Amino acid sequence: MPNGPAGQSPQRAIGVVAFFANLPNLAHASIARMKTLLRLFSDDSLLLNDRGATAIEYGLIAALIAVVIVAAVTTVGTNLSNIFNSVAGAL
């Protein structure tokens, strides 16, 4: 099999030429994708959408309330147990 320029096979050389011949089309497709992404991320509604942040805030508030409830129930349970033990001891 004869070698083309720089020791490449003729088929590979044709593939490289075809790639560079198609480069303007590839560049156009890349630019179109970039414009689409810029349009997506420059949309004000995307930047002003705070639904996810609000959900996280509500989740943190619920977790804090749960911690307070657990602490309160533990404290009340301990105190109630002490009261029952003192009443049982007095009987």
Side-chain angles (χ1 to χ4, degrees), residues 32-91:
R33 279 190 224 111
M34 190 180 304
K35 285 181 180 178
T36 303
L37 286 173
L38 286 173
R39 219 176 305 121
L40 174 69
F41 287 111
S42 66
D43 187 14
D44 288 340
S45 65
L46 181 67
L47 297 175
L48 298 176
N49 186 356
D50 59 352
R51 287 176 44 194
T54 303
I56 290 172
E57 290 169 356
Y58 282 130
L60 290 173
I61 290 170
L64 181 63
I65 290 172
V67 167
V68 169
I69 289 172
V70 167
V73 167
T74 302
T75 303
V76 169
T78 303
N79 290 341
L80 195 58
S81 176
N82 291 338
I83 291 172
F84 282 137
N85 286 335
S86 65
V87 169
L91 293 177

